[in-house]
Amino acid sequence: MHNHSHGHSHHHHGSGSSASKRIGWAFFLNVMFTIIEFIGGWLTNSTAIMADAVHDLGDSLSIGTAWVLNKISDKEANSTFSYGFKRFSLLGALINGLVLTVGSIWILFEAIPRLAAPEMPQAEGMLLLSIFGIAVNGFAAYKLSDGDSLNERVLNWHLLEDVLGWVAVLIVSIVLMFKPWPILDPILSIGFTLFILFNVARNLKETIFLFLQATPDEAQVKEVRNLLLSKPEVSEIHHFHIWSLDGANSVMTVHLVLAGELSVAQIKNLKQQLQESLATFEFVHTTIELEFADEQCRDKGV
């Protein structure tokens, strides 16, 4: 006889609707500013600004994708997606990470040749656009900073990349007003792009690991394992798994082998203790199967 204890904790690290609203803000700000960038790049004859405009266009597309996927992730579970749609948000983080990685590499390919043949842009126009760019992208990044989902963190890197890019443009435009050193533009572009590429690659690695259902926090796994084995009624555990749906909401399953024969009242008491002990970990779903010592586990694996 198998006994199942299903603990359902529905605490969420920031509501999905709020995340969608924040991502929506970032999307509309990015689209509007991309249009302004194309116009400004053409008026100032700045290839750096035009390149950033193309990159921002890619940002807008990926942020829009993330927005749609984040809205999908808020839907209730059904018979097809029994765990709900949280992993759609993770899909958005994966797409955004890939787009930003490709975009950053493209910027490097554009900026490196300019080291040999830099062009002199209109510094005054660059200065005005850079101030506007820092304000718009900074505000969008601030709106997303309240979120803690992996999707929002990846999108934050989109916006922080743009802020750093415009800081570089601001510095270069000021210098160019006094010194004819257009080579500073590609140098700064390469610098901030490499910095962002490093951080996005780290987030992308985490996203891929979560997609492959890797353990999100090994320290947490050890803590939960020790907690379960600390119960005198439990002799051993197996089929112990913790994985994350979207980087913020985790699921835990485990088989507990009982140390001896327990009455119904004792089993109820154990389940109550487990529910209280596991509450601090805020799993969105837990499945605990109780097995008696002389019982053969029907599942294969570890």
Side-chain angles (χ1 to χ4, degrees):
M1 174 181 173
H2 291 275
N3 297 281
H4 297 273
S5 169
H6 299 275
H8 299 273
S9 171
H10 293 283
H11 177 88
H12 295 275
H13 300 263
S15 71
S17 60
S18 296
S20 292
K21 188 179 295 185
R22 288 189 292 265
I23 295 172
W25 261 102
F27 172 68
F28 285 114
L29 284 172
N30 232 66
V31 168
M32 288 189 297
F33 189 64
T34 298
I35 296 170
I36 294 171
E37 265 190 293
F38 274 113
I39 298 171
W42 176 68
L43 291 175
T44 59
N45 192 33
S46 171
T47 53
I49 292 177
M50 288 297 282
D52 199 75
V54 173
H55 181 69
D56 271 1
L57 179 61
D59 281 358
S60 297
L61 292 173
S62 59
I63 291 173
T65 303
W67 191 29
V68 172
L69 291 173
N70 208 84
K71 282 184 172 295
I72 292 174
S73 75
D74 292 338
K75 294 171 64 178
E76 294 295 322
N78 58 28
S79 58
T80 303
F81 297 98
S82 59
Y83 276 109
F85 291 78
K86 291 296 179 187
R87 291 183 77 79
F88 279 78
S89 176
L90 195 61
L91 177 62
L94 180 65
I95 293 172
N96 293 329
L98 291 173
V99 168
L100 189 51
T101 300
V102 171
S104 296
I105 293 172
W106 178 81
I107 286 178
L108 289 177
F109 273 103
E110 289 292 310
I112 291 172
R114 291 189 197 134
L115 293 172
E119 295 183 12
M120 192 70 179
Q122 185 186 342
E124 293 80 4
M126 287 178 64
L127 179 66
L128 290 174
L129 272 174
S130 64
I131 293 171
F132 190 45
I134 291 169
V136 171
N137 288 287
F139 179 71
Y142 170 74
K143 294 293 286 187
L144 280 182
S145 66
D146 290 337
D148 60 358
S149 73
L150 193 60
N151 201 354
E152 289 174 286
R153 280 161 50 195
V154 173
L155 288 179
N156 232 343
W157 279 112
H158 277 268
L159 298 166
L160 287 175
E161 180 187 41
D162 292 333
V163 171
L164 287 172
W166 283 112
V167 169
V169 173
L170 175 68
I171 294 170
V172 168
S173 64
I174 293 173
V175 172
L176 290 178
M177 288 180 182
F178 302 98
K179 297 285 185 179
W181 294 342
I183 196 170
L184 290 178
D185 188 8
I187 288 174
L188 283 171
S189 297
I190 291 168
F192 84 77
T193 301
L194 287 175
F195 172 73
I196 295 297
L197 193 58
F198 170 77
N199 287 285
V200 169
R202 190 170 54 187
N203 274 327
L204 192 57
K205 177 185 175 183
E206 182 182 349
T207 303
I208 292 171
F209 269 50
L210 290 177
F211 250 112
L212 297 175
Q213 293 190 319
T215 301
D217 185 346
E218 291 187 13
Q220 184 189 65
V221 170
K222 291 180 181 177
E223 192 177 350
V224 175
R225 179 186 293 275
N226 291 336
L227 186 151
L228 294 172
L229 289 171
S230 70
K231 305 299 179 185
E233 299 92 342
V234 178
S235 63
E236 62 177 278
I237 70 172
H238 55 267
H239 288 299
F240 175 43
H241 307 287
I242 296 176
W243 71 96
S244 179
L245 296 176
D246 61 353
N249 299 280
S250 294
V251 175
M252 190 273 283
T253 65
V254 67
H255 288 200
L256 304 182
V257 180
L258 300 177
E261 295 294 322
L262 298 182
S263 66
V264 173
Q266 289 174 314
I267 289 175
K268 283 184 177 180
N269 182 57
L270 174 60
K271 289 170 69 175
Q272 180 63 35
Q273 288 181 40
L274 291 172
Q275 181 177 344
E276 293 171 358
S277 300
L278 292 171
T280 57
F281 298 101
E282 299 179 340
F283 295 121
V284 293
H285 186 92
T286 61
T287 301
I288 301 174
E289 179 163 344
L290 304 180
E291 297 176 355
F292 292 104
D294 59 350
E295 194 174 5
Q296 183 72 32
C297 180
R298 67 176 179 275
D299 295 332
K300 296 179 181 179
V302 293

